[in-house]
Every structure is written in C-alpha cells, then in structure tokens.
Amino acid sequence: MAGKIILLILELLFMLKGVSSLCRDESRGDGHSDGPGTEDECEQNVGICGNHSMCINTLGSFCCKCMPGYKELTNRPEFTYDGQCLDINECLEMGNICGPNADCSNSIGKYTCTCLSGYAKQDATSDSCVDIDECEDGAKPNEGVCGINGTCTNSNGSFWCECPTGFTNYGNERTPCSELKCDQFEGPVAASSQPYGGLAEILSQLKSSCLALARPDQYGNKTTGPTVLLNSLFDLTAEVLSSNHTGDSVAAVSSLLSAVEDSIKLIGPQLTEDQTSLNTSQTETKITVWKKTTPPSGPVRLTNTNANMEADWSTAIGNGTYPGFALAALVSYKNLETMLNQSFEQITLPEKNDRKPSYQLFSKVVSALVSNPDTQHLDKPVILTLRHLKELKESAEVSYTCAYWKAAGGGLQGKEEEGGAWSTHGCTQVSSNASHTVCSCTHLSSFAVLMALYPVNHTFGLMLLTKLCLVVSLLCLFLCILTFMFCRSIKGTRTTIHLHLCICLFLADLVFLAGISKTQPQGGCRLVAGLLHLFFLGAFSWMLLEGVQLYRMVVLVFNTTIRPRYLYTVGYGTPLVIVIISVISRPTGYGTDQYCWLTTEQGLIWSFFGPVCVVIGLNVFFFSITIWKLAQKFSSLNPDLTHLPKIRAFTITAIAQLCVLGLMWLSGVFLFKEGALAAAYIFTILNGLQGALIFLLNCLLSKQVRDEYGKLLSCICPQTTKKYSGFGSTIRSSQSQVRMSYYRVHGLFGITPGSALQTLLRSPSLY
C-alpha cells in the first residue's frame, strides 16, 4: 500500500517537471528554423495562445504565459493550446494592497489606488497615502482654510474650523467661517407692527436664529429649523400683502423686498435639501443650494411660472473664499405689480417723434439673489426671462424695457420714508416678443418689465372737430338750460328732468373739453376722471327718470307728477353713491397714462358701463310699453287727443336722446384703446349732436317755447314781431286745418285708426 502511494507521488512529480519544462532554455529566441522541427510556431500562428497572453518559441515546440495582471484559468504558470488567461482582481485577492488610507479600484489587467479625502500619496511611485495637514497646506496669504477669522485644527485625515463670536459655518465644521450681521433684521420692519403686520414676528424669529448661530455661547445652539423658518417667512409675507398692510406705501414695499432677500440668505445655507420650492397665494419661490467641500461650477437655472433665471455658479460664490456652500434663489410676487406701478422718475427712454412715453409695469415683480455678498458688479451677467402680464407685441406706440427696483436707504436698516424707484442702470433688453422679455443684468435686485407707452398723435382734423363739436354742444345745452329755467309756460316734471339732464351733460362736456388729456398732475387727473364719471352717470340717471315719467303718463294718466326730492335723490344721489364706492375700492383706477378717465384694468370701467346698460335696458322696456299704449289709444273709436300729442312728442324726444347718448358711449367703449381712431370720430360727432338734438327736440320744435322765444325777440327787436306773428298764425292755421281734416275724414269717410295714427304722427302741431 505504501509502495503504491510512493509511485503515485513520483508520477505526479514527473508530470509537474514535464510541465515546468515547457519553456526551458531550449527556446531559440531567434525566430529562425535550423532544420526539421525548428519552425517558429509563435510567428506562424499569431494569437495561438489566446487573449492577454504571450507566446514563447521552444526547440521543436512553443509555450504560453499569461501577461502581468492575469492568471491562467487553472492556475497553471505555462500552457500550450488549452489555456485561458483571466484578469486578476488585485483588490480582492491581494488583501489591503493600497493601504488603509486609500480606495482600491480594479480594472482589466491592473488596479488603481485613490487616496481618501484628507490624504495624499507619499510620492509619485508609492501607493501608500499619508495625512494632509489642511491647516498648513490649505493656507493662503492672509487667509486660512477656515477663513480670516476662523481657527483651524488638523486631525488624521480631516480638520475642523472653530468660528469666533459673530461668525458661523452653519454647522459644517470643514467650511470657512462667514460673518453674520444679525442687526439687519432690525429697523422699521422689526420695530413696529404697522405697516408690516406679521412680518415683524418672523423677523424677530430670524434674528434669534441668527444670534444663536453667531453667538452660541450666549444664546445656545438651539435654532428653529430652516424649513420651518422658510415656511413662516413666506406665509407671513403672503398675509402682509393680502391684507394690504403696506398701505400702497413704496417705502414699506421696498423694505419688504429687502427683508425677504436677507432672510433667504440666512435660511438658505441651513437647508438640507438641494432644491426647495414654495408656493403661496402671493409668492412663488425656487431655491437651490450647493453644500459640498468642492465649489460648484457651470450654469445654474431656476424657473417658476412667471420668470426664468440663468446664472453661473461662480456668480453665487463670488471672488472670495468658497464658504462651503453656494445659494441661488428666485422669488416671484404674484400681485406686487399693482403696488409698485409708480416711481418711474429715473426712467429716461428716448422720445419718439417728440412724444414722451409713459410707463407701467408689464410683468410680475421678481427677486433674484445669490449667496455672494457683493452683487453690485457681477463679472458674468444674470439672464432673466420675464413673462408679460398679457400678450402684446411691440409697436410704434409700445416698447419694452428691463428695470430693477433701486431701494433707497439700504434695505431693512434704511429709513422708511426713503422708499425707492425703478431704474434701468445695469440692465439691458436682450430680446422681446409678445409674451416674454429677456433681460441681461450685471447686478441683482428685484426686476420687472416696463412697458413704455407713446401717446398717439391725433390728427389736426380730429382735434379741431372735437373742439368744434363740444363748443356747439355746450352752446346748445346752455340755451336749453336757460330755456328750461325761465320759460314759465313749460314748467313741470318733464321740464325739471330735461333741465338737470342738460346740466349734467353741460358740466360733463365742459370738464371733458378742459381736462380729458391733462394727465399731470396725477391728483388733478384723478379729479377730472371722477367728475366725468359722476356727471355722465348723472345724465343717464335723469334719462332713466325720463323713461319712468313717460311710463307714468301713459299708464297712470292722472297724478303723474314726481316730487322734486325723489327726482334729485335718484338723479344725483345714485351716481354719487356709485362714484364714492368706486373711489374707495379702486382709488388708483381713476386716471390713466394717456387720458383722465376710468382705467380698463381691474374691472373699474364697469362701474360706469354697468349702470349705463341697466338704464338703457329699463328705458327700452318703458318705451316699448309707451308705444304699445299709444297704439291702443289711437285705435279706439273716440281717442282723447288732449294728452296724446304731448305723450307722443315726449316719447320721440326721449327715444332720440337715448339713441344718441347710447350710441355715443357704445363707441366710447373703444375710445381709450390703442388705434381707436374711428371710434374717436364717432364719439366726437355724437357728443356734439346730443346738445344740438336736445335743443332741437325740446326747444325749437315746441310751440310753447317758440312763442316764448317770439316774445323775447319782440322785446329785443320790435320790428320782428309782425313777422313772427305771421309765422305763428300760419302754424296755428295749419294746426286747425289738420284737426278739422282729421275729424271730417274720420267721421264722414270712416278712416281706419291706423291711418289716423299716421296722420297725427305727421302733424307738426304736436310738437
């Protein structure tokens, strides 16, 4: 048994000896054959050994060996045809080959040692890594790795920074110390509850958080969570703006903008998420934060519903020491454009054809900010794409420009009364279309698109026609007022209504002629708009009373007189109440940049057109009933002609007045829009016709008024008495003939009621 084992061992040793002798020195190495059996198989059969191997020629044969970093599948050092070379994973098979301070990375045929953070290779040829003394190696002239004021302490593979009082690294011990100015959360905002409301509360919390970071030895290290602070900031900002605590004060809004920006710069570095989005009823916010040991590079983009911001991370870092974080934020205010639609004194765009432009905000107000403390002169501009409030292309009358809010007094610490203003310095328009404007700015602040409106130069003909028509209308209305006031023969409810209708139209036309285009000063323009609103509404109120009186005359027949106090209450009280409510609810809606009239924004214009539509609808109803009742009267066998002529004349007059005044304001809907030249001509002509029409229908075509005019002329010019008497006799004769003809024809020849109605309507004596 022992002998067999010995023989087996000897046989195995013989085999190993044979294998190991495959690549002995019998190999020629010269690549030539000296005779039979000396061919070079390695040359004749390229790749005979397979991949990742090398071929060695031997005397009469050849052998194969795996290349460094590879091993044969069965761990044979040499082989011929049946071998296969595989990669050696040195990182697993050779233990901790790179040492404890490095990571081993295997690759095909080799491996790589990478030193851990805080370590470096001892020399270029060694794989061993040693500790880096960051406190010494990371120092710069006059500036350490922990900043100028920080204290650096080295440790094995790391270091930490200790910040003095007034500085912080926001809990990241391996970042430089940044100075905190907690006093910025004081000033007029934090010191009072009005006009800032709940914002003072959040600023107080922010100051406490700031002090806890800057002075942990005095205030402890317990701070409110950054997410809680951020939510509170924008919730209370929404509350302030929704409740209008700023009171349309430019200074208050300016301080609010600065407060929000400073608060984000404090809260942002404490956020744990890379991206943060917040959406409230008044704001939409996007914040991105980079918190790594190496500074970021490349572009940074932020987008919300109304704006897009494109910047470079180098802009957020600045030229100083990388503080261990970088921040960029974009805040869009949803309704702030109405509060800041003013303060355009510093905007000086060039004139067009001697026309100075007026300005208004045409986008949402957007605040762009970064963690860089110095953003007044950026090396790389920030690109902002702002969405317009509505789609409108640039034209000869409209152009867009980029502007920023230039706060006076330095933000939160500034005096409240200093406020701010819009400016275009440092911002240029890159491109613009109907919906968006692209701006390039070399500093950061709050931005918006301004629309420059160039007034349309009306033709000389339109201006002359406007003045002539208004003068004619004023003259006719003045004559009507005198007639209704002093003509005793026509005294009554109808005359009272006509008198005050003419007074309202006269005052409206007078104010229109004197101040419709006087947009400066703003207070005077608003007064003109308010007076026009009042007087034109008054005119329609008296027209409504005219319809009511006509209805009472036809339906009630008797006791149709309306007491004056009721007339005055409806005629003047109703318009006054509407105007007062409109002024209280929309005080800035009176007066525009081009005309002293109601603005078409915010729906204020319907405080005029709404009542007008109601009056027209009611009068159409009253006139329809009147015409129907008149037809019934005339169709009776024995019509009472005593009051019918007056009713008929009253009806025709009222309908004509309603048509002219209604059509005038139908064109007036389009009067104050861009390019409404045709509407301007129609409005002007009808505005001149209304005074002339009232004078014609109510004075010249009235026999009683003509008689009074005749008496007046006879006193002034006696020689015309005879002529006028002849004229009156002719009219009376014609009147008698018509009436006699009517009775004769109706009684003898049986004329139908319809033809009798037509005869009566054609009779001039009824006027």
Side-chain angles (χ1 to χ4, degrees):
M1 183 67 179
K4 290 183 178 180
I5 295 175
I6 294 173
L7 289 175
L8 183 61
I9 294 174
L10 290 174
E11 184 179 357
L12 181 60
L13 291 174
F14 178 78
M15 292 176 62
L16 292 174
K17 182 179 179 182
V19 172
S20 62
S21 63
L22 289 175
C23 296
R24 282 184 174 182
D25 292 338
E26 290 92 350
S27 60
R28 293 180 52 86
D30 55 5
H32 296 280
S33 301
D34 292 336
T38 61
E39 292 86 358
D40 190 344
E41 292 84 359
C42 295
E43 262 191 28
Q44 294 177 358
N45 300 284
V46 179
I48 191 173
C49 292
N51 296 329
H52 312 302
S53 62
M54 55 184 175
C55 181
I56 301 174
N57 187 48
T58 61
L59 184 61
S61 184
F62 71 97
C63 72
C64 301
K65 287 185 176 182
C66 291
M67 298 180 68
Y70 298 88
K71 65 178 180 179
E72 203 273 331
L73 180 62
T74 58
N75 293 324
R76 291 180 294 174
E78 300 170 354
F79 59 92
T80 53
Y81 292 100
D82 57 348
Q84 182 180 0
C85 294
L86 300 177
D87 173 60
I88 300 173
N89 191 338
E90 294 87 352
C91 298
L92 293 177
E93 298 182 11
M94 302 181 69
N96 196 3
I97 189 173
C98 293
N101 301 322
D103 288 330
C104 179
S105 300
N106 184 66
S107 58
I108 301 299
K110 60 181 180 178
Y111 68 97
T112 304
C113 293
T114 304
C115 294
L116 298 174
S117 177
Y119 297 89
K121 289 187 177 181
Q122 190 171 10
D123 52 58
T125 59
S126 175
D127 287 337
S128 62
C129 299
V130 296
D131 175 58
I132 299 173
D133 188 349
E134 292 88 353
C135 298
E136 181 180 350
D137 297 341
K140 299 179 182 179
N142 300 322
E143 186 177 312
V145 69
C146 293
I148 299 176
N149 298 281
T151 302
C152 180
T153 301
N154 188 61
S155 62
N156 188 20
S158 184
F159 70 99
W160 72 85
C161 297
E162 185 177 354
C163 300
T165 299
F167 293 80
T168 185
N169 50 20
Y170 298 99
N172 190 348
E173 295 180 343
R174 298 185 61 184
T175 57
C177 298
S178 303
E179 184 179 6
L180 288 179
K181 298 179 180 179
C182 300
D183 292 339
Q184 66 182 332
F185 299 105
E186 295 179 350
V189 175
S192 63
S193 58
Q194 294 294 335
Y196 305 96
L199 190 60
E201 177 184 348
I202 183 61
L203 290 178
S204 176
Q205 297 180 21
L206 289 169
K207 183 179 180 181
S208 299
S209 178
C210 179
L211 292 174
L213 290 170
R215 303 173 185 176
D217 54 335
Q218 299 180 23
Y219 294 90
N221 200 22
K222 297 181 180 180
T223 60
T224 305
T227 304
V228 175
L229 279 176
L230 194 65
N231 287 326
S232 299
L233 170 67
F234 286 104
D235 287 344
L236 290 173
T237 299
E239 179 184 338
V240 171
L241 295 177
S242 299
S243 57
N244 197 23
H245 281 198
T246 58
D248 294 331
S249 168
V250 172
V253 174
S254 183
S255 295
L256 174 65
L257 293 174
S258 298
V260 172
E261 293 178 15
D262 292 337
S263 300
I264 293 177
K265 290 181 180 180
L266 174 67
I267 301 172
Q270 305 177 59
L271 296 173
T272 56
E273 300 292 334
D274 295 338
Q275 301 285 337
T276 302
S277 299
L278 283 176
N279 196 352
T280 68
S281 61
Q282 295 292 328
T283 58
E284 184 179 2
T285 306
K286 288 291 182 68
I287 303 175
T288 181
V289 182
W290 178 281
K291 297 178 67 175
K292 297 182 180 179
T293 56
T294 56
S297 60
V300 54
R301 295 181 179 89
L302 295 174
T303 302
N304 58 32
T305 305
N306 297 297
N308 177 70
M309 170 184 172
E310 296 182 22
D312 195 271
W313 275 117
S314 61
T315 300
I317 298 171
N319 297 324
T321 303
Y322 171 58
F325 68 89
L327 164 73
L330 183 67
V331 183
S332 177
Y333 295 90
K334 298 180 180 180
N335 298 300
L336 204 57
E337 71 276 4
T338 57
M339 299 182 186
L340 292 180
N341 196 20
Q342 55 184 311
S343 302
F344 303 121
E345 297 81 8
Q346 298 186 21
I347 307 295
T348 55
L349 294 184
E351 298 181 2
K352 290 184 178 180
N353 300 325
D354 297 328
R355 295 178 297 168
K356 292 184 178 180
S358 58
Y359 306 98
Q360 68 181 56
L361 292 186
F362 207 63
S363 74
K364 301 295 183 182
V365 178
V366 174
S367 293
L369 60 138
V370 294
S371 51
N372 181 5
D374 184 13
T375 57
Q376 296 304 311
H377 304 283
L378 301 177
D379 296 333
K380 297 180 180 180
V382 174
I383 305 300
L384 294 167
T385 303
L386 303 178
R387 182 181 180 182
H388 297 167
L389 296 178
K390 60 182 179 180
E391 293 192 5
L392 181 65
K393 292 183 179 180
E394 288 187 305
S395 62
E397 291 80 29
V398 177
S399 65
Y400 300 125
T401 186
C402 301
Y404 76 99
W405 182 254
K406 185 178 180 181
L412 292 177
Q413 294 178 318
K415 295 182 179 179
E416 181 180 340
E417 62 270 18
E418 292 181 352
W422 290 103
S423 175
T424 58
H425 179 72
C427 285
T428 57
Q429 177 188 348
V430 178
S431 62
S432 185
N433 56 27
S435 59
H436 293 82
T437 293
V438 181
C439 304
S440 176
C441 299
T442 57
H443 55 79
L444 294 181
S445 178
S446 295
F447 303 89
V449 174
L450 296 188
M451 179 173 65
L453 295 172
Y454 291 88
V456 179
N457 284 336
H458 294 299
T459 62
F460 175 76
L462 178 61
M463 296 174 62
L464 181 61
L465 180 64
T466 300
K467 294 181 179 180
L468 288 177
C469 287
L470 285 175
V471 169
V472 170
S473 180
L474 287 171
L475 179 61
C476 293
L477 290 172
F478 182 71
L479 293 175
C480 289
I481 292 171
L482 294 179
T483 299
F484 298 142
M485 288 180 65
F486 299 108
C487 188
R488 297 180 179 178
S489 60
I490 58 173
K491 291 293 184 180
T493 301
R494 174 190 176 190
T495 303
T496 302
I497 292 174
H498 286 166
L499 171 63
H500 291 282
L501 171 64
C502 292
I503 291 175
C504 288
L505 289 176
F506 180 84
L507 294 176
D509 286 349
L510 187 63
V511 174
F512 190 96
L513 179 63
I516 187 65
S517 60
K518 306 295 184 181
T519 57
Q520 295 297 330
Q522 190 177 48
C525 183
R526 290 181 177 178
L527 177 62
V528 169
L531 291 176
L532 289 175
H533 192 193
L534 176 64
F535 292 139
F536 278 123
L537 279 181
F540 277 97
S541 296
W542 286 104
M543 285 185 62
L544 175 62
L545 291 172
E546 190 173 18
V548 172
Q549 174 66 7
L550 180 63
Y551 175 81
R552 290 170 61 87
M553 290 177 64
V554 174
V555 176
L556 298 181
V557 180
F558 302 104
N559 194 22
T560 60
T561 302
I562 303 177
R563 294 184 179 182
R565 64 170 177 269
Y566 297 143
L567 295 177
Y568 298 147
T569 300
V570 176
Y572 291 115
T574 303
L576 185 61
V577 170
I578 294 175
V579 172
I580 290 175
I581 294 175
S582 301
V583 169
I584 294 175
S585 60
R586 293 287 188 274
T588 59
Y590 284 85
T592 67
D593 295 326
Q594 293 181 297
Y595 301 101
C596 297
W597 181 235
L598 307 184
T599 178
T600 56
E601 304 293 335
Q602 304 175 359
L604 182 63
I605 191 66
W606 286 104
S607 65
F608 175 75
F609 285 115
V612 167
C613 293
V614 171
V615 170
I616 292 176
L618 290 175
N619 273 1
V620 169
F621 170 74
F622 292 144
F623 296 158
S624 300
I625 292 180
T626 301
I627 295 174
W628 177 56
K629 289 291 185 180
L630 280 177
Q632 288 182 333
K633 294 284 186 181
F634 284 123
S635 63
S636 62
L637 295 176
N638 296 306
D640 182 9
L641 298 180
T642 305
H643 299 289
L644 291 181
K646 295 182 180 180
I647 297 175
R648 200 259 340 233
F650 197 2
T651 304
I652 295 176
T653 302
I655 293 176
Q657 291 173 178
L658 181 65
C659 290
V660 172
L661 200 57
L663 289 175
M664 183 185 78
W665 279 109
L666 181 63
S667 64
V669 174
F670 310 98
L671 177 63
F672 302 103
K673 295 183 178 294
E674 295 293 332
L677 190 60
Y681 274 103
I682 295 174
F683 182 87
T684 300
I685 294 173
L686 293 178
N687 196 23
L689 283 178
Q690 65 180 356
L693 182 67
I694 293 175
F695 181 67
L696 175 66
L697 294 177
N698 294 288
C699 296
L700 294 183
L701 294 181
S702 172
K703 179 181 179 300
Q704 292 173 308
V705 175
R706 289 199 305 268
D707 291 340
E708 294 292 337
Y709 286 167
K711 294 177 182 179
L712 178 64
L713 290 176
S714 64
C715 296
I716 299 175
C717 303
Q719 63 273 16
T720 62
T721 304
K722 183 177 180 181
K723 180 180 179 181
Y724 185 78
S725 299
F727 177 71
S729 300
T730 303
I731 293 176
R732 285 191 296 271
S733 176
S734 300
Q735 176 181 355
S736 301
Q737 292 176 6
V738 170
R739 288 180 176 173
M740 291 299 295
S741 299
Y742 170 75
Y743 286 116
R744 186 182 302 112
V745 172
H746 183 268
L748 298 178
F749 298 98
I751 300 298
T752 63
S755 60
L757 175 63
Q758 294 177 0
T759 304
L760 183 61
L761 291 175
R762 286 194 296 267
S763 175
S765 64
L766 299 181
Y767 293 94

